[in-house]
Amino acid sequence: MRRNVGIGAVKKQNAAKSRLTQKGTEIAELQLKNVSQQMETFKKSLEEFAAKYKSEIKKNPEFRSKFQTMCSKIGVDPLASSKGFWAQLLGVGDFYYELGVQIIEVCLATRPSNGGIITMTDLCSELGKSSGKTRKDVQPDDITRAINKLSVLGDGFKMVKVGKIVMIQSVPGELSTDHTTALDIASNNNGKLAFDTFNQLNWNGLRISAVVDGLMEQGMLWVDEVDGTHWVPALFHRSL
């Protein structure tokens, strides 16, 4: 008799668990549906906002940057395709595509004089010259986004942090920590590589030679044949 009561209780418990599981699934599905509806509503509002402020987004770099940030928070990438909806609505796909082409042109044109590295400030300046007018509509944030899109071309274009300076590297190859340290030393000395600073870092001769030779091979470091001093051309003219 007790055995039959126990089986009945187990069946009731299993039935209760099944109902709870089903209810939990229903609640989860309802929540997912609500979230999806909210996202669709937000995206629609974002599209309306973008259409309304299209001109401001294209001409105002600060406004454009905030719009990009807002898009990224909901997983929308206006730059995903130059043929996509956002590109057609805003024209930003073409904007960054054209900017990317200009960045490549500037980097190639200046490579003989800087060895394939250029500061963000100088790149902004050169972009202004290449367009025939001062490009106040292009800011470092735009350049960063355009360069990120150029990553499909391989490791030929990347951004490198040298102390407080952001530099764009347009030649294949990895700059080691020692390389960026040497560039940082030069950036704090008007582009001149001060060897006494290496001694302060307790670097031995082999380590210094490896860094110097590596930078010279890539054309990023030049030697003054008159006095034997070493200069980073990409940083030298910043002092002029």
Side-chain angles (χ1 to χ4, degrees):
M1 190 71 178
R2 291 179 180 176
R3 183 179 178 183
N4 291 333
V5 173
I7 292 174
V10 170
K11 288 183 177 179
K12 287 182 179 179
Q13 289 178 357
N14 289 338
K17 287 181 179 179
S18 178
R19 289 195 295 272
L20 288 173
T21 300
Q22 183 178 356
K23 181 58 68 175
T25 301
E26 291 175 356
I27 292 174
E29 290 176 348
L30 181 61
Q31 289 178 335
L32 180 60
K33 183 179 180 180
N34 289 336
V35 170
S36 298
Q37 289 176 342
Q38 290 174 2
M39 290 297 290
E40 286 301 317
T41 300
F42 189 82
K43 284 186 178 181
K44 184 177 180 181
S45 298
L46 187 63
E47 291 171 8
E48 293 174 351
F49 174 87
K52 182 178 180 180
Y53 295 101
K54 175 180 178 179
S55 177
E56 190 70 15
I57 291 172
K58 293 182 69 174
K59 71 180 182 180
N60 188 325
E62 183 177 357
F63 194 90
R64 183 167 58 248
S65 177
K66 291 181 178 179
F67 174 75
Q68 293 276 13
T69 300
M70 183 168 57
C71 287
S72 66
K73 289 183 178 180
I74 62 167
V76 174
D77 185 4
L79 310 183
S81 171
S82 62
K83 303 298 182 182
F85 167 78
W86 288 99
Q88 294 176 2
L89 174 66
L90 299 174
V92 291
D94 291 337
F95 173 86
Y96 284 100
Y97 169 77
E98 292 170 1
L99 179 59
V101 171
Q102 290 178 345
I103 288 173
I104 293 174
E105 291 175 344
V106 168
C107 288
L108 290 177
T110 59
R111 187 177 293 176
S113 62
N114 58 30
I117 53 171
I118 185 172
T119 65
M120 178 69 78
T121 300
D122 289 341
L123 180 55
C124 284
S125 176
E126 291 297 327
L127 286 171
K129 296 176 184 177
S130 66
S131 64
K133 62 178 181 178
T134 303
R135 290 294 302 270
K136 293 182 179 179
D137 58 325
V138 175
Q139 297 295 315
D141 179 74
D142 294 318
I143 293 176
T144 299
R145 294 180 188 280
I147 288 176
N148 287 338
K149 294 302 172 182
L150 292 177
S151 61
V152 297
L153 301 177
D155 63 351
F157 289 86
K158 65 181 70 174
M159 303 186 66
V160 181
K161 191 70 180 296
V162 178
K164 297 180 180 180
I165 300 174
V166 176
M167 305 193 77
I168 291 81
Q169 179 184 350
S170 62
V171 289
E174 196 71 30
L175 290 177
S176 68
T177 302
D178 282 0
H179 289 140
T180 55
T181 297
L183 293 174
D184 187 30
I185 290 173
S187 71
N188 292 315
N189 198 35
N190 297 327
K192 181 180 178 181
L193 193 58
F195 280 78
D196 57 335
T197 306
F198 287 131
N199 296 327
Q200 295 173 15
L201 295 174
N202 294 320
W203 285 18
N204 59 39
L206 289 176
R207 186 175 183 181
I208 296 173
S209 295
V211 172
V212 171
D213 292 345
L215 291 175
M216 289 184 64
E217 286 177 4
Q218 297 187 62
M220 298 180 184
L221 184 66
W222 293 1
V223 179
D224 188 325
E225 295 181 353
V226 176
D227 57 14
T229 55
H230 292 66
W231 298 86
V232 176
L235 300 169
F236 170 67
H237 66 279
R238 297 176 72 247
S239 63
L240 298 180

